Amino acid sequence: MRVLGTGSTLPCGAAAIAIAATASLAEAQDISINYERLSSMEEPLATEIGDVTLVLNGLIDTPVTLDLEEDNDAEAGFIGNMQVTALVQLQNRWRVNAAYFGQYETDEALNSATDENYTDNAAISVGGMWGAVVAGNVSGVVREGTRRRRGAGNGELEFDDVLGRHAEWGGGYTGRFGPWVIGAIVDEDSQFDVGATFQRPIDDTDYRLTARFSEGVHAPGSPGGGGPAFESTAIGAVGEVVYGSTTFDVGLGFERLSSRVADADRPYVSAGVHSKTDVLSWSLGAHYGWVEGESESSYGLGVQYDVARGLSANLGLNHARAGTDSAGIRPTDTRDTRAVFSLRYSF
């Protein structure tokens, strides 16, 4: 999870030292509730009102999508999101953090994860040297802390997660202990998600290892109505190596899906590389898995060109393929290939 703000204004050198000195505390307490594909990479805007620090960041994206699978039609869309955070440190040195995230997408920009134009999350955390207790829309906190790195530009890798999902509201804990960051959430339906991250540099290379165990529910739709609900139990791990400006990572996962009518196993593997040279960033990722004898595969190529501070031109070529299966876990075929170009401004 990334640091949203420190509540003070410091020169660049002093700020870097302060961030490094308080990283173990801040990373365990500050929460990001942006679980969407796009997030701002710029330093947030911040101001102080009394003892409260207000932090704002977000982005505006204008994607043009070309469908390469069927009719080669191009569609223009709009995506805008922001996260507003209020932070205050109490007299006992506890930090209170309240955050709200909202995202709006036109119909042409909607992805497969949602069919709503506007989605939002809200959460609050209270923390100290012992870590932080979080509550609200925190279902993605463990996932965000243990996942593989997102693609550059408009590169996106389909299926690179478990199928099981958690309820909207829940609570949990995050904490840092040396090179370890641990997190756990329990939702309103008593489903849980726990994870741990170990990260440490050795010589001129940085290494990161994560592990995750979760229980959720997968409720696939079907042409004739709602399909059976599957209980999901999943484990996963990610390994990452960073050398200079290049990142290599690989993720392994296994998911057990159970219902009253059928059971199925879903193993999968994902891997990718992400690099940056001057103003140009690029990424390439691939995924393969299978369930009930039907394979799933995807790849994503992304490119980002930094035009100016906060402004970038972004490209993506993404493909996804998955067949139906007898258990109803995948009620319809997925076959999608698209190219995406957008101008993006983040702040």
Side-chain angles (χ1 to χ4, degrees), residues 37 111-113 151-158 283 285 298-302 316-319 338 340:
R37 180 177 63 87
N111 58 41
S112 59
N154 286 314
E156 185 176 7
L157 199 58
E158 192 73 17
S283 68
S298 66
Y299 65 77
L301 171 65
L317 178 62
N318 306 309
H319 170 79
R338 60 182 60 193
V340 185

Side-chain angles (χ1 to χ4, degrees), residues 190-213:
S190 299
Q191 299 161 156
F192 65 86
D193 199 358
V194 297
T197 299
F198 176 88
Q199 185 169 10
R200 171 168 287 180
I202 300 177
D203 295 328
D204 55 359
T205 304
D206 186 76
Y207 296 90
R208 173 174 170 261
L209 298 172
T210 76
R212 180 187 177 204
F213 177 58

Side-chain angles (χ1 to χ4, degrees), residues 218-222 225-230 259-262 327-329:
H218 173 53
S222 66
F230 292 84
S259 73
R260 291 177 295 178
V261 296
I329 295 170

